[in-house]
Amino acid sequence: MKMSLLGYVLLLTAALCCTAAPAAPDDHCEKPEQIKGAQLQGEWHDETYPPGKVANFVCLPEYTQDGPIKMACIEGIWWHIAKGQCKGKKCDRPDIKHGIIDRDYYYPREVGRYLEYYCESSYQPRRWTRIYCTNAGWEPEPKCSHACVEAPNIQHGTAIENKKTFSHGERAKYECDNGFRFKDEDVASCVEGQWMNIPVCISTSCKSPPKVLNSKPKGGTKSSYASGEKITYECNSGYSLERSGEAQCDNTNWINIPVCRRTGAQCGPPPTVQYGDTVEIRKANYRSGEKVEFRCPEYYILDGNRFVTCLNGVWNEAPVCIEPCTAKERDMESNNIQLKWRPDRKLYSRHGETIEFICKPGYEAPPDTQMRITCNQGNLEYPKCFKIGFCVLQQSTMIANNIHYNLSTVVDHGQKILFQCNDGMMAENNLEAKCEQRKINYPRCTAAKSCKAPEILNGFVKTEQASYDSGSYVEFDCDEGYVINLAMKVKCENGLWSKLPVCYSPCKISPEDLTRHNIQLLSSNDQKTIPDKNYKHGTEISVVCMSGFRRPTNAALVLECYDGKFKYPRCFSGRTCRILQDDLDENNLELDEVHENEVFYAEGEVIQYKCKNGFNYRGQPTGKCSEQKMSYPKCTEESSV
């Protein structure tokens, strides 16, 4: 059998460095065996695979890939055609300031290994602490934090449980002396050896009591009153107290301040009562001592004294008309219930009376559901029935699985619901579940990893701390002159930050680059300042061609600042060629990094290309501008090279 050039190359490679999997009976191959630390890409459901089939492997997350890993099916055998490796990730020796590592471990440590450390005197932790090597580095983050000495003294208060030292993150609780209260929090926090948020106790006493019109305080006044202390007022001759004559000091504020009304003063019209009205026709004025009677509509209940009296120009408290309840067909329909004893579409009930419901056919109520409902000030708390086979969510199971569902505690048979993880937790599997004949498979969430403080070049976190809980956000800003490229807020999710922003660098114009591209700035004044001036990322500056040069199109010429570098257009003195995207795509080409922004090229100029991913070219793919036409090499698929 005559073998192709590709076959010889593959067999030679295999003979030098590779081993072969067992052969299939014919020229087809069975599914390739797994490689340690790697997994197959694509779909592999067939029993056998034809000659020429290529298997690509990628490393698992806990491994680092060193080169491509590929196998090809040749005459019933899988041969390695690219033998990269999956190497286990490792951790270097941690630099723990003021920390002491237990013994001289070997480094780097593999994922899953641990080491132990403790901290020098006056730093925490002082006991042996174990940290593990993970894909994200050492966890938890090894750190020695300054301890705090005894809780600080405060005016008018004392620390409840004081001790000689407090670890980083510990808090000291305080209590205020009698007559004082906390202004804000009642605890101080130890942060890196410093006490933060130290409580402040402020006085609860009141200043001199307020003046009450047409009255005077009994026994005189003083400059300060303790919280809870009272003072009594008496009205002047011809005036009467509207309510109690005692005012009280309540945490720096005076409450229950009395009012003195002129004795025998007339009242205006009686107060308005919602849903109610007076029995007699209302008058404009009433003498002190006169009464009016109120009544409520049918089914409404009058709560309070139906007679309201005018006393020294003020009406005493009016009654209230309490609404009845109406069992509405729409509400009963939505709750899958109906009236037990009446076929009526509407049923009025007075406040305090009861209405009894039953489930509609095909529905049932959860255990302990109260079907006899009391009317409460116009409101009916309808019971709800569910399809037979419904599920009742078990709070204990949800707590154990670190999940919650806030919309209902009962789920209809066949209904799908989406649970949510508790704060700081991540889902182990799909959070959607379905109720099937009183059973539901609860998803589970586990503790999410916290994130280390993120860092970006030429930028900073606005409120920096040592670590951040999963689900929390940080906000970035850039150093002066730099421009951020994404949203400033970034979220921590299970130990990993969402895509970090980039602070783009400012640009400087190079006079040499202007000359090399045959362009110049519009303003002659700019020529003097361009060597020293910084331009922010995204800035566009208009330019023109130098004398004797031209641009093949009439489009405006601009310099564009992109992350520290200006993109310079070119002007030409002779004939040019233009790169066409369709021609690049047809030949599986891309422009290299040097020429990626260029469209036009001068007559005789050589252009460097590169092949698109998955394609190859023998040697360096180049093209040339000749007689206003651009030449293109052809890149071919890797497997056919």
Side-chain angles (χ1 to χ4, degrees):
M1 182 177 67
K2 194 171 183 180
M3 186 175 291
S4 66
L5 175 61
L6 172 61
Y8 282 116
V9 172
L10 295 174
L11 287 173
L12 178 60
T13 304
L16 291 174
C17 65
C18 305
T19 58
D26 52 19
D27 61 348
H28 281 54
C29 298
E30 296 179 353
K31 181 180 176 181
E33 295 180 357
Q34 288 294 112
I35 296 175
K36 181 181 178 181
Q39 61 184 7
L40 272 168
Q41 279 188 311
E43 299 291 332
W44 294 84
H45 302 308
D46 298 336
E47 293 184 3
T48 60
Y49 297 89
K53 175 69 175 178
V54 175
N56 290 295
F57 290 82
V58 293
C59 293
L60 298 171
E62 59 267 29
Y63 291 83
T64 301
Q65 188 153 341
D66 183 10
I69 307 172
K70 295 185 179 183
M71 299 178 75
C73 177
I74 302 172
E75 297 181 356
I77 300 174
W78 287 105
W79 296 93
H80 283 283
I81 58 175
K83 195 171 183 182
Q85 289 183 315
C86 292
K87 298 180 178 179
K89 293 183 179 178
K90 298 182 179 181
C91 299
D92 293 327
R93 181 185 179 94
D95 181 17
I96 312 172
K97 193 174 182 181
H98 304 293
I100 300 168
I101 296 176
D102 179 21
R103 61 181 183 269
D104 192 16
Y105 292 91
Y106 61 88
Y107 295 96
R109 302 286 285 167
E110 293 181 351
V111 169
R113 299 280 186 170
Y114 69 87
L115 62 79
E116 293 178 329
Y117 76 99
Y118 70 97
C119 298
E120 298 172 354
S121 178
S122 80
Y123 289 86
Q124 294 288 343
R126 288 288 295 152
R127 63 184 182 276
W128 289 113
T129 302
R130 182 171 291 187
I131 57 174
Y132 290 85
C133 176
T134 71
N135 294 331
W138 290 108
E139 290 188 3
E141 181 187 7
K143 187 174 184 180
C144 289
S145 303
H146 252 309
C148 297
V149 296
E150 295 179 345
N153 294 326
I154 64 171
Q155 284 189 323
H156 312 298
T158 53
I160 298 174
E161 295 181 5
N162 207 344
K163 53 186 180 178
K164 289 185 177 181
T165 59
F166 288 79
S167 301
H168 169 74
E170 280 193 297
R171 304 197 300 175
K173 190 174 180 64
Y174 286 77
E175 62 182 3
C176 289
D177 299 338
N178 289 335
F180 292 85
R181 63 177 175 85
F182 291 108
K183 182 180 180 182
D184 295 304
E185 295 292 329
D186 63 348
V187 293
S189 301
C190 174
V191 180
E192 295 289 354
Q194 300 290 325
W195 284 107
M196 307 293 289
N197 304 323
I198 299 172
V200 176
C201 292
I202 58 175
S203 174
T204 59
S205 62
C206 300
K207 295 181 180 179
S208 298
K211 291 183 178 180
V212 175
L213 196 62
N214 302 312
S215 74
K216 57 186 177 183
K218 287 184 178 180
T221 61
K222 52 186 181 179
S223 59
S224 178
Y225 290 78
S227 183
E229 200 171 354
K230 297 179 180 180
I231 182 172
T232 304
Y233 291 82
E234 58 184 1
C235 294
N236 297 338
S237 178
Y239 290 86
S240 302
L241 283 167
E242 180 183 329
R243 54 176 177 265
S244 170
E246 286 187 331
Q248 182 177 347
C249 172
D250 180 39
N251 282 327
T252 72
N253 295 313
W254 286 101
I255 60 173
N256 300 329
I257 301 170
V259 176
C260 290
R261 303 283 185 185
R262 181 178 290 278
T263 304
Q266 288 188 337
C267 297
T272 301
V273 174
Q274 189 178 19
Y275 308 119
D277 201 359
T278 56
V279 175
E280 304 89 356
I281 297 174
R282 289 170 172 259
K283 299 189 298 185
N285 294 292
Y286 290 80
R287 296 187 307 275
S288 181
E290 270 194 280
K291 297 181 179 180
V292 293
E293 184 180 359
F294 282 88
R295 62 185 174 188
C296 297
E298 187 179 4
Y299 287 106
Y300 286 75
I301 295 177
L302 188 143
D303 183 27
N305 195 334
R306 71 176 186 273
F307 291 101
V308 180
T309 305
C310 169
L311 186 62
N312 299 322
V314 178
W315 290 101
N316 59 9
E317 189 174 0
V320 174
C321 290
I322 302 178
E323 295 177 75
C325 296
T326 306
K328 298 177 182 177
E329 185 178 20
R330 180 187 61 188
D331 295 330
M332 291 189 288
E333 186 72 25
S334 65
N335 287 286
N336 306 311
I337 56 176
Q338 61 191 30
L339 295 170
K340 183 174 184 179
W341 304 113
R342 289 193 168 199
D344 305 20
R345 293 192 174 185
K346 290 188 178 182
L347 174 67
Y348 289 98
S349 299
R350 290 185 174 88
H351 168 72
E353 292 182 344
T354 59
I355 305 176
E356 193 164 358
F357 299 93
I358 57 172
C359 294
K360 294 174 65 176
Y363 293 84
E364 59 183 342
D368 302 325
T369 299
Q370 182 58 256
M371 303 299 287
R372 190 178 178 88
I373 307 303
T374 301
C375 171
N376 183 20
Q377 298 184 11
N379 295 314
L380 278 176
E381 294 291 337
Y382 292 95
K384 187 174 181 67
C385 295
F386 297 85
K387 291 179 182 177
I388 293 175
F390 67 83
C391 300
V392 179
L393 296 181
Q394 300 299 315
Q395 191 66 26
S396 58
T397 304
M398 291 193 292
I399 291 173
N401 288 5
N402 302 308
I403 56 175
H404 63 272
Y405 183 71
N406 298 330
L407 299 182
S408 173
T409 56
V410 183
V411 182
D412 257 330
H413 166 69
Q415 181 184 348
K416 290 182 179 180
I417 64 172
L418 187 64
F419 289 94
Q420 290 181 308
C421 289
N422 295 339
D423 289 342
M425 299 287 169
M426 292 292 291
E428 284 187 350
N429 43 32
N430 188 2
L431 288 173
E432 188 178 76
K434 186 178 181 181
C435 170
E436 294 281 3
Q437 294 298 339
R438 299 193 184 280
K439 292 183 180 179
I440 190 164
N441 291 323
Y442 293 89
R444 182 176 178 82
C445 296
T446 54
K449 298 177 183 177
S450 60
C451 295
K452 297 179 182 178
E455 296 180 356
I456 61 171
L457 191 64
N458 304 316
F460 56 91
V461 176
K462 287 189 175 180
T463 54
E464 188 173 0
Q465 57 193 57
S467 63
Y468 299 83
D469 292 335
S470 182
S472 61
Y473 289 83
V474 296
E475 189 172 353
F476 285 92
D477 204 351
C478 292
D479 297 337
E480 187 175 359
Y482 291 79
V483 176
I484 205 157
N485 73 321
L486 294 172
M488 293 190 294
K489 283 191 174 181
V490 178
K491 187 179 182 181
C492 169
E493 291 185 294
N494 196 26
L496 298 174
W497 291 105
S498 55
K499 189 173 182 180
L500 296 178
V502 175
C503 288
Y504 285 136
S505 305
C507 303
K508 284 189 176 182
I509 298 176
S510 165
E512 293 79 10
D513 283 336
L514 291 174
T515 302
R516 186 163 53 252
H517 289 81
N518 307 314
I519 56 177
Q520 63 186 26
L521 302 179
L522 280 175
S523 172
S524 59
N525 294 330
D526 286 335
Q527 303 289 347
K528 300 175 183 178
T529 61
I530 57 174
D532 302 316
K533 189 173 181 180
N534 282 327
Y535 297 87
K536 285 188 175 182
H537 169 80
T539 302
E540 293 185 350
I541 300 173
S542 296
V543 294
V544 293
C545 293
M546 289 182 176
S547 178
F549 294 87
R550 65 177 179 83
R551 185 73 175 170
T553 67
N554 294 324
L557 295 180
V558 293
L559 303 182
E560 182 184 354
C561 173
Y562 186 87
D563 195 19
K565 293 182 180 180
F566 270 112
K567 297 179 181 178
Y568 295 86
R570 283 200 298 170
C571 292
F572 304 88
S573 59
R575 293 188 298 177
T576 59
C577 298
R578 178 170 183 163
I579 290 279
L580 297 176
Q581 186 64 47
D582 288 346
D583 291 336
L584 291 175
D585 294 340
E586 183 180 342
N587 292 284
N588 307 311
L589 294 169
E590 294 176 349
L591 291 172
D592 67 5
E593 290 77 6
V594 177
H595 299 88
E596 63 179 350
N597 299 309
E598 290 291 344
V599 176
F600 296 99
Y601 296 87
E603 181 72 18
E605 188 174 0
V606 176
I607 298 91
Q608 300 285 346
Y609 299 105
K610 63 179 182 180
C611 294
K612 291 184 176 181
N613 287 336
F615 296 87
N616 272 330
Y617 185 80
R618 295 184 183 278
Q620 175 64 47
T622 59
K624 186 176 182 180
C625 174
S626 178
E627 297 182 359
Q628 295 184 285
K629 289 186 179 180
M630 185 67 71
S631 62
Y632 301 91
K634 180 84 172 181
C635 292
T636 56
E637 290 190 50
E638 290 180 346
S639 59
S640 63
V641 175

